[in-house]
Amino acid sequence: MPTVFEPKLISGNANLPLAKAVARRMSMHRGVNVGLVEARVERFNDGEIFVEVFENVRGEDMFIIQPTSNPANDNLMELLIISDALRRSSASRITAVIPYFGYARQDRRTKARTPISAKLVANMLIEAGIERILTMDLHAAQIQGFFDIPVDNLYASPIFALDIQAQFSDLSKVTVVSPDVGGVARARELAQRIGCGLAIVDKRRNKPGEIAEMTVIGDVEGQTCIIVDDICDTAGTLCKAAEVLSEAGATEVHSYITHGVLSGPAVERITNSVMKSLVITDSIQATDPVKAAPNIRILPTAPMFAQAILNIWNGTSVSSLFETETLMPIYEGFYG
């Protein structure tokens, strides 16, 4: 088997800007050009996906960068077919870099006769020849147990902590808020990182999709509130939580969300809401309305993913990237 000199990256169509940014960061770290493997990923007239890899990948350590965001089914199939093409081309190892793991919200049976789609997706990825998963902020941490291969789940909270420390001078007047009881652990972890208080917005529903009541647990009067969550889809709950916090005496409300799905009326709701800003990552490629929204800001994840890929390739620790201090030099150009 030939010696592997550099990790090799390949991308589907889900988030090409992120894939190119990861390649640029890896080139900076390595001091040599690390580009995307030349390939074509296209669709026939009937919607079938076709992949052709133009470079020799025999014996190479391959990393496929492909979030399974909207359209989730197309992007998932691209990932599976790229993996199959690499496996049949004798790649040494195939790692799927999935910044946003679609179907993660279907991680359990909520009622009778329903699927566990996240487990099905895990089975499909393994059958396609993928030997390792690198992702960020899985909606449910137990999804890692759906795989019989290594799964590295990165966290956006160290990046959020760096940004919050750069944006807010007096952290004693900042309170981190979980928008529901289920997200308390995530909010507490960020609050501990930046050394500030914690509050919870407790919501009750009369029926699915309809919020009957929201209550703030904790004192937010005179505080700058930062709502933290992993996914923002239609933004209904997020905007309502911001209103409730403002009514409870919060001076400002900001939100930090890892995955900006932002479907349907989300951008319009956020633009018209009392939130001063919504900060998301580029795990999902931003649409033009998201880029144009005056109160939405996007944080880069390429530095973190580039370092994680290099650590996997080198066989060194990925968990070191869980610490804010470790990310400081990686994000030096962004936060001084």
Side-chain angles (χ1 to χ4, degrees):
M1 184 178 294
T3 303
V4 179
F5 293 102
E6 297 295 333
K8 287 204 169 183
L9 310 179
I10 189 170
S11 176
N13 295 313
N15 197 338
L16 271 172
L18 175 58
K20 291 177 180 176
V22 170
R24 285 195 300 270
R25 293 293 301 193
M26 289 178 64
S27 299
M28 291 170 57
H29 289 312
R30 298 290 299 158
V32 294
N33 182 48
V34 178
L36 297 176
V37 168
E38 191 177 351
R40 63 178 175 131
V41 182
E42 58 187 35
R43 283 163 178 75
F44 293 139
N45 291 333
D46 63 353
E48 286 185 11
I49 295 166
F50 175 75
V51 172
E52 183 179 6
V53 181
F54 295 125
E55 296 181 27
N56 179 24
V57 297
R58 183 179 296 275
E60 299 285 4
D61 196 356
M62 299 298 304
F63 294 83
I64 310 170
I65 302 175
Q66 177 81 342
T68 51
S69 49
N70 183 38
N73 298 331
D74 287 355
N75 289 331
L76 175 59
M77 281 303 299
E78 279 190 10
L79 175 57
L80 296 171
I81 294 172
I82 292 170
S83 177
D84 188 69
L86 294 175
R87 180 178 61 171
R88 295 176 186 276
S89 303
S90 302
S92 174
R93 181 177 66 171
I94 303 170
T95 299
V97 181
I98 311 175
Y100 171 71
F101 189 92
Y103 285 101
R105 286 176 281 184
Q106 298 185 49
D107 63 304
R108 63 194 183 279
R109 297 185 70 191
T110 55
K111 58 181 72 172
R113 297 177 295 282
T114 58
I116 305 178
S117 302
K119 171 59 177 170
L120 175 62
V121 170
N123 292 343
M124 292 166 67
L125 292 171
I126 294 171
E127 286 299 316
I130 290 167
E131 298 168 65
R132 192 180 195 101
I133 302 290
L134 175 62
T135 187
M136 184 171 68
D137 274 354
L138 279 171
H139 183 65
Q142 66 266 23
I143 292 174
Q144 295 174 81
F146 293 173
F147 292 88
D148 293 325
I149 56 175
V151 177
D152 293 304
N153 183 31
L154 301 177
Y155 299 100
S157 57
I159 308 174
F160 289 165
L162 285 172
D163 191 77
I164 290 167
Q165 289 164 351
Q167 296 292 324
F168 303 96
S169 56
D170 187 0
L171 293 179
S172 66
K173 296 187 180 297
V174 172
T175 297
V176 173
V177 180
S178 172
D180 52 45
V181 176
V184 172
R186 181 183 298 105
R188 183 187 295 116
E189 198 267 343
L190 179 59
Q192 289 173 343
R193 281 183 186 273
I194 61 178
C196 69
L198 175 68
I200 304 166
V201 175
D202 180 36
K203 63 183 177 186
R204 295 176 176 83
R205 298 181 186 270
N206 283 336
K207 58 183 179 180
E210 182 180 303
I211 300 169
E213 182 184 358
M214 276 189 166
T215 307
V216 178
I217 302 173
D219 184 13
V220 298
E221 188 169 355
Q223 292 285 298
T224 297
C225 288
I226 296 177
I227 303 172
V228 61
D229 207 353
D230 63 325
I231 296 174
C232 177
D233 193 344
T234 59
T237 298
L238 188 66
C239 293
K240 180 65 176 175
E243 290 177 14
V244 171
L245 290 167
S246 293
E247 292 168 1
T251 55
E252 290 182 359
V253 180
H254 303 261
S255 295
Y256 280 73
I257 309 293
T258 305
H259 307 297
V261 177
L262 302 180
S263 59
V267 175
E268 182 181 357
R269 284 174 174 172
I270 291 162
T271 302
N272 298 327
S273 75
V274 299
M275 271 189 299
K276 192 167 183 181
S277 70
L278 167 65
V279 180
I280 58 176
T281 75
D282 58 357
S283 63
I284 297 173
Q285 185 172 351
T287 61
D288 289 337
V290 171
K291 293 176 185 175
N295 58 343
I296 298 179
R297 191 158 53 87
I298 303 172
L299 298 182
T301 58
M304 175 185 276
F305 277 111
Q307 190 62 53
I309 289 170
L310 288 171
N311 288 7
I312 291 170
W313 175 68
N314 284 319
T316 54
S317 172
V318 174
S319 62
S320 62
L321 298 175
F322 298 169
E323 300 302 324
T324 305
E325 293 75 14
T326 308
L327 287 183
M328 277 183 178
I330 299 173
Y331 276 84
E332 190 172 0
F334 298 96
Y335 299 111

